[in-house]
Structure formats: C-alpha cells, structure tokens
C-alpha cells in the first residue's frame, strides 16, 4: 500500500476481544492504531500531538491551548468556521480536545457511515488550518471564559499554585490556559502578531513524527488503512524530537514549603508532593506503583490504620503523578476530619517517619 512505512497485525489483545487491530507507521512516521469493529454503530478517531503548553513561548502564555481552539475554526479545504463541528452534529457525533503539559489531544465520534467524511475534515487540522484573524479575535474570548470558569475550581487553583511555587525559570511554571490578557492585550502592547505566532507554533511543533492517531470504524482493516494513508500522509514530518526536561521544576530551593489554601468548596484535605525522576523508562517494572502500594497499605501498622484509629481520616490516596518527559511527582493526599485538620503537623511527622523507616523496617514500622 502506498503511504505505508510499516504494518503490524499481531497486536496483543484480550482473548474475548472480537475487534481486529492493526498498527501502522505511515511514510511520514506518524504512528496509527486501526480498529475494525463490524458491530459498532459509532466511528471515532483521536489524534495526540506530543507537545503541550510547556512549549509555549514565554511572551504568549496559553498559545498551545489557543492553537488547539483555533484548529476547529476552518481550514483551506473547509474554510467555514463551523464546518467540522456542524458536520459531526448533523451526523450524530461530537468532538472535543484538551491541552496538557506535553500533549494536545483531539477526538471525535460520528455515525459509522460518515467516518471517511469526518476524518477528511479532521485531517485538515494538521495540514492546512487557516487561523483567520477574525476567528482569533472571537476565540480569545472563549479561552478567557474557560479560564474564568477554572477560577472557581479547587483542582485548577491548586494546579496553578503548584506551578507558582516551582522554579520560575522552568517551563512547568507557565500559565497554560491563557486568557485575554496573555493572548491579546499584552501581545498587542509588545507589538506581537498572535496569528503569526500561531502559524509559527503550528509549523514548528505539529510534526507527523510526534503524532499518534487511533481510528475505529465498521470498515475492514485494509479499508481503514487506505483511508488513513490517503488523508494523513500529507502531514509534514519536521523530524523534531519530543521535548524533554531533565531538570526537575522543584529544585532544592523550592522544597520544604507549607501552603495553607482556603478552598472554594467545603473540603478538608492534606497533600504532600515529592519530586521524583521520570519513571516512564521503567514502565515494565513500575517501581513507583510499588511505593504507592506500600504507602497506600490499609492493614495493621499502615499509615491509614493509624489515621483511622485517631479519627483523623478514613481515606488516603498515594501514587505517582505524571509531570512531563524528564520528571514526575509522587503525591499523597488525605481527606481530613475536623479533628484531623488541626493535627496536620502530627500527620506530616507520621508520614516522614514512615518514608524514612519503611525501607529498613517494613510496612509495619509504625507499630515499632
């Protein structure tokens, strides 16, 4: 088949899974997973671009997120701003997207018989977006509204607080959502053309070799292969590397900080976050999961059993938290009772004792 660099049909799956799978690498080095399901009533696709808001230019916080929004608003082949969204709506489908620290993800579903047409519109996101000035002016307001909504979300507020306490020179500290100030007001003052910045960002990072596509449909694997090859081999391979940040955002100067936060909702919790190296290279042995199992142990002598006995908490979560390529975090969160809220310092001492003594004394070290 033209446009195909590599095909793998022996994709591992559950014995009870009746779907057929094929892994494909296109000639432009885009990775694709195809799923054929003759029983499905909905077709769907998702594209992940391995770049996120940590790659925003310093002078335009939120540009990656803004780019995600703008890709929905017209392409050279389908210039109408709502062509993609309207097509999906008219054929029983929906779409959405998100921008994270190091990923931008787009996805949709649609009635199975309309997959080819929907995928054609979707493919234009990655080849010929318009980024019109008129659409940009309106979409800034949509991004701003999204940020305003996040201001009343405890999880978003804590996320930004974490960013504010790390090394301010590290890309992790960036304001990823963006708002009207960062995407319009301040760039205008500095003489920055945001539309040109969008074009530059898209041309720089939207490279096929850091993209991964998944498509599921009623069609056979061969038909899906031809469909994807025809639509996505035109995405340019810029031969870029996935950004990597080997320096942790929490240097020694940023540690041992205690923050008290007044929540929006009526919640009481205690959270400790530890810097840790990127565990992704060790995914086969998953050492962070082993540590999480020890700290989340609920039997006699465990942290949670002690918290319950003292009436401080009935729930504890512990585990790795994904950062980006090059660094991660280990997080421990406890929902606190009113009595536990006043005993947070004693709990912190218990946790510290466990962390330092568990390797030598075992999970029951709190009994010793």
């Amino acid at each position: 088949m033209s446009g195909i660099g590599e095909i793998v049909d022996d994709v591992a799956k559950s014995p009870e899974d009746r779907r057929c799978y094929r892994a494909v690498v296109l000639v432009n080095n885009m990775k694709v997973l195809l799923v054929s399901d003759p029983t499905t009533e909905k077709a769907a696709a998702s594209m992940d671009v391995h770049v996120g808001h940590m790659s925003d230019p310093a002078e335009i916080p939120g540009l990656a997120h803004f780019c995600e929004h703008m890709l929905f608003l017209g392409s050279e082949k389908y210039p109408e701003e709502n062509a993609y969204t309207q097509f999906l709506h008219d054929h029983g489908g929906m779409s959405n997207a998100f921008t994270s620290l190091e990923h931008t993800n787009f996805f949709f579903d649609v009635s199975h018989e309309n997959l080819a047409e929907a995928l054609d519109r979707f493919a234009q996101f990655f080849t010929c977006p318009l980024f019109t000035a008129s659409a940009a002016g309106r979409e800034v307001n949509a991004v701003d509204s999204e940020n305003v909504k996040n201001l009343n979300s405890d999880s978003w507020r804590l996320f930004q607080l974490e960013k504010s306490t790390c090394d301010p020179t590290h890309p992790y500290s960036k304001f990823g959502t963006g708002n009207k100030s960062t995407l319009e007001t301040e760039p205008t003052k500095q003489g920055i053309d945001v539309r040109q910045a969008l074009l530059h960002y898209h041309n720089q990072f939207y490279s096929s070799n850091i993209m991964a596509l998944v498509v599921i449909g009623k069609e056979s694997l061969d038909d899906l292969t031809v469909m994807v090859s025809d639509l996505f081999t035109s995405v340019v391979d810029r031969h870029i590397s996935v950004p990597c940040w080997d320096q942790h955002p929490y240097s020694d100067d940023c540690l041992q900080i205690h923050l008290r936060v007044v929540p929006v909702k009526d919640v009481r919790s205690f959270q400790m976050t530890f810097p840790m190296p990127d565990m992704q290279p060790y995914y086969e042995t998953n050492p962070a999961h082993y540590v999480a199992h020890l700290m989340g142990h609920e039997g006699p002598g465990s942290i949670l059993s002690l918290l319950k006995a003292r009436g401080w908490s009935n729930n504890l979560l512990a585990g790795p938290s994904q950062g980006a390529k090059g660094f991660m975090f280990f997080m421990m969160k406890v929902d606190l009772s009113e009595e536990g809220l006043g005993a947070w310092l004693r709990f912190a001492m218990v946790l510290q004792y466990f962390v330092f003594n568990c390797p030598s004394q075992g999970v029951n070290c709190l009994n010793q």
Side-chain angles (χ1 to χ4, degrees), residues 15 32-33 59 99 104 115 200 204 231 293:
V32 183
L33 178 64
E59 65 275 14
T99 303
T104 308
L115 173 61
H200 177 74
Q204 180 180 5
L231 293 173
H293 178 74

Side-chain angles (χ1 to χ4, degrees), residues 239-278:
H239 304 284
I240 67 173
S241 299
V242 173
C244 181
W245 295 272
D246 292 326
Q247 180 182 348
H248 204 283
Y250 283 93
S251 60
D252 290 345
D253 294 338
C254 303
L255 301 178
Q256 300 183 41
I257 295 176
H258 169 226
L259 300 168
R260 294 174 182 263
V261 179
V262 178
V264 175
K265 295 183 177 180
D266 184 18
V267 294
R268 295 179 300 272
S269 65
F270 176 89
Q271 180 173 316
M272 292 190 76
T273 303
F274 303 89
M276 66 184 298
D278 187 1

Side-chain angles (χ1 to χ4, degrees), residues 186-193:
E186 290 303 317
T188 300
K189 289 180 181 179
Q190 298 173 39
I192 297 173
D193 186 331

Side-chain angles (χ1 to χ4, degrees), residues 48-162:
D48 188 82
V49 187
H50 204 152
V51 66
H53 71 246
M54 284 181 62
S55 296
D56 282 346
E59 65 275 14
I60 316 179
L63 188 67
H65 183 215
F66 190 37
C67 181
E68 169 221 305
H69 274 243
M70 289 296 297
L71 291 179
F72 285 79
L73 301 179
S75 62
E76 292 177 10
K77 186 173 182 179
Y78 300 101
E80 299 85 0
E81 286 186 11
N82 67 339
Y84 169 73
T85 303
Q86 188 62 49
F87 180 85
L88 294 177
H89 180 268
D90 291 344
H91 297 90
M94 57 76 66
S95 66
N96 212 332
F98 65 84
T99 303
S100 65
L101 294 169
E102 61 170 351
H103 291 274
T104 308
N105 189 278
F106 306 84
F107 55 93
F108 74 85
D109 65 34
V110 70
S111 56
H112 68 85
E113 62 269 20
N114 299 111
L115 173 61
E117 292 177 89
L119 207 58
D120 184 26
R121 288 163 171 78
F122 186 61
Q124 310 311 312
F125 285 25
F126 314 103
T127 56
C128 55
L130 289 179
F131 295 132
T132 63
S134 59
R138 292 189 298 275
E139 202 60 23
V140 163
N141 293 324
V143 173
D144 191 69
S145 296
E146 186 176 335
N147 180 64
V148 170
K149 171 182 64 67
N150 292 343
L151 295 178
N152 289 318
S153 166
D154 284 320
S155 59
W156 277 102
R157 290 157 68 97
L158 289 172
F159 182 44
Q160 192 59 42
L161 182 62
E162 288 179 3

